[in-house]
Amino acid sequence: MELQLAGGRVFCIGNGESRRDYSLQNLRQYGKIYGCNALYRDFTPDVLTAVDHGIMHEIYHAGVAQKIPCYFRAWTKVPAMTYEPMLMGGITNLEEAKDALDKVLITNGQGFSKEYVMHGSKLSGVIDLIKREPDKFNKDIIKLQKKEINHATIKVSWIKEPDYSHSLTDICVENNGNGLKRDFGWACGASAGYVAIHREQPKEIYLIGHDINSTNNNVNNLYKGTKHYVAPENGPTPGINWIRQWKTLFDWYPDTKFIKVNRFNDGRDMVNGPITEWINKNLTYTDYSTLDNLA
């Protein structure tokens, strides 16, 4: 993988509602754009990161990783010859197994692929679920609740060429003196920030759409209610882990300037004010007017 020269600017795009109606295309002339999750549905960033199985495979099936670098969690590519043994796991009733797979297998098809990535439940466990709740699985699998999809589907992405997909495990090294190489288990936002630093070594990173909190009693996400996202009426996602993960990144890279972009940045609510835990000399706040006057 060819990394960029150190320096420059990165825009790290979250999917909070504060960025609604802002044209990300305006940013291309000023720096690299790093995105999260379903951003690809509306805009193609320079690099995309995802950490949940469902959206990772959706992204790969959409052909995004054949166009731009993508970083996924536990994205282990396995030789095609292992597919059937891995899938069947010792199941002997082939007819029963085929019937279950028709209901729960989400795949982009093997074609001429020589490798694949698999996530999800064991087929034997899925068969037991179907036996217990047959009516539920007679419906379109996509209409199941998010938690059910995670526990009752098998997701397979056959690797297509060209392939620019990577596993976070391959690049994540703790910058705290230990030098331990591992996936930090972070949410997508801070993971994308780490990927940006790894690839670009930027002088500054703008955080856009990383709202952390909500302005009301509902979840704050532009893609709520769509595939692989929670319902619009769900309550806000607690932001404590996001706060801690970004704070770790600020601490690890004190020479990188982080700029959080708020819609108004006037303290009118929990989205447009400072984050109490983020008191860092290398973090500042601004609003969208700054983005219109970048050099």
Side-chain angles (χ1 to χ4, degrees):
M1 176 182 62
E2 181 180 352
L3 302 182
Q4 304 299 317
L5 294 176
R9 179 186 292 127
V10 165
F11 302 99
C12 191
I13 312 300
N15 296 323
E17 295 172 38
S18 68
R19 71 168 180 83
R20 188 188 303 277
D21 299 327
Y22 181 80
S23 176
L24 298 177
Q25 190 64 37
N26 295 339
L27 302 176
R28 287 207 187 276
Q29 60 186 313
Y30 300 120
K32 292 294 182 69
I33 301 175
Y34 278 62
C36 297
N37 295 322
L39 174 64
Y40 87 93
R41 297 176 185 171
D42 307 302
F43 177 84
T44 302
D46 293 296
V47 178
L48 187 65
T49 299
V51 298
D52 293 328
H53 295 168
I55 192 67
M56 284 162 32
H57 287 273
E58 176 190 320
I59 290 167
Y60 201 88
H61 294 180
V64 180
Q66 292 178 270
K67 301 173 184 176
I68 63 171
C70 293
Y71 287 79
F72 301 135
R73 170 151 294 144
W75 193 253
T76 303
K77 300 168 189 176
V78 182
M81 68 180 70
T82 67
Y83 178 66
E84 187 170 333
M86 180 81 73
L87 191 65
M88 302 303 286
I91 295 173
T92 56
N93 189 331
L94 299 183
E95 184 175 341
E96 185 178 56
K98 182 180 183 305
D99 181 64
L101 285 173
D102 287 343
K103 291 181 171 67
V104 303
L105 180 63
I106 300 172
T107 180
N108 58 343
Q110 180 174 359
F112 296 103
S113 299
K114 297 179 181 179
E115 293 181 306
Y116 68 94
V117 175
M118 181 186 296
H119 293 106
S121 300
K122 291 184 177 180
L123 182 56
S124 57
V126 172
I127 290 173
D128 290 340
L129 278 174
I130 293 174
K131 287 179 178 178
R132 291 200 302 269
E133 302 182 76
D135 292 341
K136 181 179 292 185
F137 288 89
N138 286 331
K139 300 184 297 183
D140 182 354
I141 190 69
I142 300 304
K143 294 181 180 179
L144 293 177
Q145 296 296 316
K146 180 180 179 181
K147 186 177 294 186
E148 292 174 326
I149 289 178
N150 287 339
H151 289 87
T153 58
I154 299 171
K155 293 163 282 287
V156 174
S157 286
W158 288 97
I159 301 303
K160 310 295 182 181
E161 297 295 337
D163 171 49
Y164 305 120
S165 67
H166 308 273
S167 179
L168 286 168
T169 308
D170 295 336
I171 67 164
C172 290
V173 179
E174 291 187 2
N175 195 30
N176 58 2
N178 293 333
L180 181 63
K181 186 175 182 180
R182 66 177 182 88
D183 183 338
F184 309 137
W186 289 355
C188 192
S191 294
Y194 181 88
V195 172
I197 292 173
H198 168 78
R199 289 182 56 90
E200 312 288 346
Q201 300 93 52
K203 292 180 179 178
E204 55 185 25
I205 296 181
Y206 284 77
L207 279 62
I208 301 173
H210 294 277
D211 292 350
I212 306 298
N213 297 300
S214 179
T215 59
N216 53 43
N217 294 323
N218 299 119
V219 62
N220 178 353
N221 194 289
L222 288 170
Y223 299 103
K224 59 189 177 184
T226 67
K227 184 179 177 182
H228 298 129
Y229 283 84
V230 300
E233 62 271 17
N234 277 34
T237 303
I240 185 62
N241 286 333
W242 300 334
I243 291 172
R244 290 172 178 169
Q245 291 159 11
W246 277 109
K247 177 66 162 55
T248 298
L249 208 57
F250 302 157
D251 291 342
W252 280 358
Y253 299 97
D255 295 329
T256 301
K257 183 179 180 181
F258 296 85
I259 305 101
K260 186 177 186 300
V261 181
N262 293 328
R263 172 62 69 178
F264 301 106
N265 199 37
D266 56 8
R268 66 180 62 186
D269 52 41
M270 293 180 67
V271 170
N272 287 286
I275 306 297
T276 304
E277 296 89 343
W278 286 0
I279 300 176
N280 284 70
K281 63 180 181 180
N282 58 333
L283 170 70
T284 58
Y285 296 84
T286 191
D287 58 30
Y288 278 82
S289 65
T290 303
L291 302 179
D292 298 326
N293 297 284
L294 292 172

